[in-house]
Amino acid sequence: REEPLLRRASCIQAALFGAFMGLWTVLALHMQQSYGLGADVAGLMGLVGAAGILIAPLAGRSADQRGPSIVITAACLIMLLSYPVLGLWSGLAGLVVGILLLDIGEQLALISNQHVIYSLRPEARSRLNTLFMSGMFVGGAMGSWGAGLAWRLGGWQGACLFGGALVLIGLSLHCLRRRAEGRSARH
């Protein structure tokens, strides 16, 4: 209740993680339907996504140097770019590039949002992180559910539109926060 930045960071990350998990929920279905490939090959795409983890140290340094807000904006834009790549670039190369962009954006946002919450109360980091991660995983579960429904209604294109919409929600929440902070700094 006392930390509005924790609530905002959790909501932003919930939306972004929902977009992330939504892709992984329907990826095997898409690969089977479009390429005749099984879940084993979809699982191998996780190795592509693991490259996003390599960006974590860069995300932390960037948040320290430029501030987490700029990095979160960049992360949202990278994730937003991933969905047109995934939805419009047919072929496995499009999947690889889209997954890489999505994972890099997710990692940048996660590290930067944690930077925000850890600065609130250094003595309560584990409690703050518990609340933050709980919100994030609720978003992931809702994203998986929504992507499954979008798949049933609109196939791969529907799932990509759904994921992109979640990223737009996260970006909008982030921009509203930045705008509110700008107004309060002027008064």
Side-chain angles (χ1 to χ4, degrees):
R1 276 195 303 246
E2 298 169 11
E3 299 295 349
L5 289 179
L6 172 63
R7 288 192 304 275
R8 284 189 194 119
S10 297
C11 289
I12 291 165
Q13 198 63 40
L16 298 179
F17 194 60
F20 177 83
M21 290 303 296
L23 168 90
W24 291 104
T25 299
V26 298
L27 181 64
L29 299 171
H30 173 62
M31 291 186 73
Q32 175 64 42
Q33 184 181 64
S34 297
Y35 309 109
L37 300 171
D40 54 339
V41 178
L44 288 175
M45 289 292 189
L47 295 175
V48 172
I53 293 171
L54 301 175
I55 200 89
L58 173 65
R61 279 193 300 277
S62 295
D64 288 341
Q65 293 170 352
R66 293 181 173 84
S69 185
I70 291 170
V71 179
I72 294 167
T73 301
C76 290
L77 293 174
I78 291 168
M79 288 182 76
L80 196 55
L81 175 62
S82 74
Y83 275 100
V85 169
L86 289 163
L88 300 174
W89 185 353
S90 61
L92 291 176
L95 281 178
V96 168
V97 171
I99 287 169
L100 191 57
L101 289 170
L102 188 71
D103 282 24
I104 287 170
E106 173 63 23
Q107 281 296 314
L108 286 170
L110 174 61
I111 299 300
S112 298
N113 274 315
Q114 284 179 316
H115 189 279
V116 169
I117 67 162
Y118 289 161
S119 67
L120 297 174
R121 294 187 186 195
E123 74 282 359
R125 277 186 171 185
S126 89
R127 284 178 289 180
L128 294 172
N129 197 49
T130 298
L131 291 169
F132 174 75
M133 288 294 186
S134 295
M136 184 178 103
F137 281 105
V138 167
M142 296 301 290
S144 290
W145 175 82
L149 182 60
W151 172 267
R152 276 199 358 237
L153 297 174
W156 180 246
Q157 299 302 320
C160 287
L161 286 171
F162 176 75
L166 288 178
V167 175
L168 279 174
I169 290 169
L171 178 60
S172 298
L173 291 170
H174 175 62
C175 289
L176 289 173
R177 184 187 102 214
R178 287 185 69 187
R179 200 161 144 207
E181 288 171 354
R183 275 197 308 262
S184 66
R186 284 180 266 162
H187 296 300

